[in-house]
Amino acid sequence: MKDPSFRRSVALFRAFMREQGDPATAYTLLARDAADQVERHGPVRGKVVVDIGGGDGYFTREFRRRGAHGYLFEPDTAELSPGERADTVVADGYLLPLADGAADVCFSSNVLEHVADPHTFLSEMARVTRPGGLIYVSFTNWYSPWGGHEWAPWHYLGAERARSRYERRTGRPAKHRLGDNLFRIGVGETLRHVRSRSDVTVVSARSRYWPVLPQLVPRIPVLREFATWNLLLILRRCS
């Protein structure tokens, strides 16, 4: 699918809406799309790709399918399917069991909003990436319509109220709790942080799913916090 395009955005949105009932279709499509975005900056064949927090391994498998040496690092074994556990390193993204500069590409999709200290998380991604290597990181910003995850968009009325509403409506506990495994992370603050770092340069900062001019929205203060939906950063590791 051409990126950006309305066709691509609609296809991803439809898959997202069916994610609970058909996660394989949704995440397989998203993994292909993400790998295409990485390969805009060079082929991954023969490269070491580290997937941090990749859950059930859809992204890792897609990179392997394209000839990369893909490795999945996931801290929560409950997220893994039985077939994926043998090929996964159970490790926290704050402290990866990797040497400095071990990865050609360090990849993280929709993880940053789930860590309490995103700056340390980004520092670890930079540490394990070789000089000149690529860092792909995306996250759902708090004030986007999906910032509350399963209890969005009611998070605009307050996190606890939204979570309680979800549990009353579905009769099951919410997966996410603000301050525990979901955190308020913004577009502007994250852009300011990565631009101030001396160990990376910003190659691209864009809305991951916008169908037109995806680089424009993250540049507009205030509006970007609501309209970016999901911020995608492509960073280059400095020497």
PDB file of all heavy atoms in Angstrom, residues 12 33-34 47 49 62 92 94 103 113 215 239:
ATOM      1  N   LEU A  12      -5.730   0.076   7.371  1.00  0.00           N
ATOM      2  CA  LEU A  12      -5.191  -0.080   8.715  1.00  0.00           C
ATOM      3  C   LEU A  12      -6.262   0.187   9.774  1.00  0.00           C
ATOM      4  O   LEU A  12      -6.321  -0.506  10.795  1.00  0.00           O
ATOM      5  CB  LEU A  12      -4.007   0.862   8.914  1.00  0.00           C
ATOM      6  CG  LEU A  12      -2.734   0.505   8.137  1.00  0.00           C
ATOM      7  CD1 LEU A  12      -1.711   1.630   8.240  1.00  0.00           C
ATOM      8  CD2 LEU A  12      -2.134  -0.804   8.643  1.00  0.00           C
ATOM      9  N   ASP A  33       3.392  -3.070   7.048  1.00  0.00           N
ATOM     10  CA  ASP A  33       3.447  -1.633   6.850  1.00  0.00           C
ATOM     11  C   ASP A  33       4.665  -1.032   7.554  1.00  0.00           C
ATOM     12  O   ASP A  33       5.376  -0.196   6.986  1.00  0.00           O
ATOM     13  CB  ASP A  33       2.158  -1.004   7.387  1.00  0.00           C
ATOM     14  CG  ASP A  33       2.063   0.480   7.086  1.00  0.00           C
ATOM     15  OD1 ASP A  33       1.812   0.830   5.915  1.00  0.00           O
ATOM     16  OD2 ASP A  33       2.247   1.289   8.017  1.00  0.00           O
ATOM     17  N   ALA A  34       4.913  -1.458   8.781  1.00  0.00           N
ATOM     18  CA  ALA A  34       6.056  -0.937   9.532  1.00  0.00           C
ATOM     19  C   ALA A  34       7.379  -1.336   8.880  1.00  0.00           C
ATOM     20  O   ALA A  34       8.320  -0.522   8.795  1.00  0.00           O
ATOM     21  CB  ALA A  34       6.001  -1.439  10.974  1.00  0.00           C
ATOM     22  N   LYS A  47      20.570  -7.823   7.910  1.00  0.00           N
ATOM     23  CA  LYS A  47      20.791  -6.909   9.023  1.00  0.00           C
ATOM     24  C   LYS A  47      20.251  -7.500  10.326  1.00  0.00           C
ATOM     25  O   LYS A  47      19.344  -8.339  10.335  1.00  0.00           O
ATOM     26  CB  LYS A  47      20.094  -5.568   8.764  1.00  0.00           C
ATOM     27  CG  LYS A  47      20.525  -4.868   7.490  1.00  0.00           C
ATOM     28  CD  LYS A  47      21.961  -4.376   7.588  1.00  0.00           C
ATOM     29  CE  LYS A  47      22.386  -3.643   6.324  1.00  0.00           C
ATOM     30  NZ  LYS A  47      21.627  -2.400   6.114  1.00  0.00           N
ATOM     31  N   VAL A  49      18.035  -6.954  13.364  1.00  0.00           N
ATOM     32  CA  VAL A  49      16.898  -6.121  13.755  1.00  0.00           C
ATOM     33  C   VAL A  49      16.435  -6.562  15.139  1.00  0.00           C
ATOM     34  O   VAL A  49      16.089  -7.733  15.352  1.00  0.00           O
ATOM     35  CB  VAL A  49      15.734  -6.229  12.755  1.00  0.00           C
ATOM     36  CG1 VAL A  49      14.566  -5.359  13.206  1.00  0.00           C
ATOM     37  CG2 VAL A  49      16.188  -5.821  11.357  1.00  0.00           C
ATOM     38  N   GLU A  62       7.975 -10.693  10.462  1.00  0.00           N
ATOM     39  CA  GLU A  62       7.979  -9.989   9.183  1.00  0.00           C
ATOM     40  C   GLU A  62       9.399  -9.593   8.778  1.00  0.00           C
ATOM     41  O   GLU A  62       9.786  -9.727   7.602  1.00  0.00           O
ATOM     42  CB  GLU A  62       7.091  -8.753   9.248  1.00  0.00           C
ATOM     43  CG  GLU A  62       7.053  -7.921   7.977  1.00  0.00           C
ATOM     44  CD  GLU A  62       6.517  -8.667   6.771  1.00  0.00           C
ATOM     45  OE1 GLU A  62       5.741  -9.640   6.948  1.00  0.00           O
ATOM     46  OE2 GLU A  62       6.874  -8.291   5.637  1.00  0.00           O
ATOM     47  N   ASP A  92      13.726  -6.695  29.871  1.00  0.00           N
ATOM     48  CA  ASP A  92      13.142  -5.367  30.014  1.00  0.00           C
ATOM     49  C   ASP A  92      13.831  -4.400  29.060  1.00  0.00           C
ATOM     50  O   ASP A  92      15.052  -4.432  28.898  1.00  0.00           O
ATOM     51  CB  ASP A  92      13.328  -4.898  31.464  1.00  0.00           C
ATOM     52  CG  ASP A  92      12.445  -3.715  31.814  1.00  0.00           C
ATOM     53  OD1 ASP A  92      12.524  -2.688  31.110  1.00  0.00           O
ATOM     54  OD2 ASP A  92      11.677  -3.816  32.782  1.00  0.00           O
ATOM     55  N   TYR A  94      14.447  -1.404  29.476  1.00  0.00           N
ATOM     56  CA  TYR A  94      15.340  -0.489  30.181  1.00  0.00           C
ATOM     57  C   TYR A  94      16.765  -1.032  30.267  1.00  0.00           C
ATOM     58  O   TYR A  94      17.719  -0.272  30.446  1.00  0.00           O
ATOM     59  CB  TYR A  94      14.862  -0.267  31.619  1.00  0.00           C
ATOM     60  CG  TYR A  94      13.600   0.527  31.765  1.00  0.00           C
ATOM     61  CD1 TYR A  94      12.607   0.110  32.636  1.00  0.00           C
ATOM     62  CD2 TYR A  94      13.392   1.710  31.068  1.00  0.00           C
ATOM     63  CE1 TYR A  94      11.439   0.838  32.809  1.00  0.00           C
ATOM     64  CE2 TYR A  94      12.232   2.445  31.217  1.00  0.00           C
ATOM     65  CZ  TYR A  94      11.257   2.003  32.093  1.00  0.00           C
ATOM     66  OH  TYR A  94      10.102   2.725  32.254  1.00  0.00           O
ATOM     67  N   ALA A 103      22.890  -3.824  17.184  1.00  0.00           N
ATOM     68  CA  ALA A 103      21.796  -3.858  16.211  1.00  0.00           C
ATOM     69  C   ALA A 103      22.030  -2.885  15.064  1.00  0.00           C
ATOM     70  O   ALA A 103      22.545  -1.776  15.259  1.00  0.00           O
ATOM     71  CB  ALA A 103      20.476  -3.526  16.894  1.00  0.00           C
ATOM     72  N   GLU A 113       4.378   4.442  25.250  1.00  0.00           N
ATOM     73  CA  GLU A 113       3.332   4.920  26.163  1.00  0.00           C
ATOM     74  C   GLU A 113       3.097   3.971  27.340  1.00  0.00           C
ATOM     75  O   GLU A 113       2.354   4.292  28.263  1.00  0.00           O
ATOM     76  CB  GLU A 113       2.012   5.141  25.407  1.00  0.00           C
ATOM     77  CG  GLU A 113       1.307   3.882  24.945  1.00  0.00           C
ATOM     78  CD  GLU A 113       1.651   3.510  23.507  1.00  0.00           C
ATOM     79  OE1 GLU A 113       2.800   3.761  23.092  1.00  0.00           O
ATOM     80  OE2 GLU A 113       0.767   2.952  22.819  1.00  0.00           O
ATOM     81  N   GLN A 215       3.904  14.606   7.845  1.00  0.00           N
ATOM     82  CA  GLN A 215       4.928  15.351   8.577  1.00  0.00           C
ATOM     83  C   GLN A 215       4.409  16.687   9.099  1.00  0.00           C
ATOM     84  O   GLN A 215       5.034  17.302   9.971  1.00  0.00           O
ATOM     85  CB  GLN A 215       6.147  15.624   7.673  1.00  0.00           C
ATOM     86  CG  GLN A 215       6.880  14.375   7.226  1.00  0.00           C
ATOM     87  CD  GLN A 215       6.318  13.809   5.935  1.00  0.00           C
ATOM     88  OE1 GLN A 215       5.355  14.335   5.377  1.00  0.00           O
ATOM     89  NE2 GLN A 215       6.902  12.723   5.462  1.00  0.00           N
ATOM     90  N   SER A 239      27.658   8.789  15.623  1.00  0.00           N
ATOM     91  CA  SER A 239      28.946   8.151  15.969  1.00  0.00           C
ATOM     92  C   SER A 239      29.321   8.513  17.390  1.00  0.00           C
ATOM     93  O   SER A 239      29.006   9.618  17.861  1.00  0.00           O
ATOM     94  CB  SER A 239      30.032   8.629  15.018  1.00  0.00           C
ATOM     95  OG  SER A 239      29.719   8.281  13.693  1.00  0.00           O
TER      96      SER A 239
END
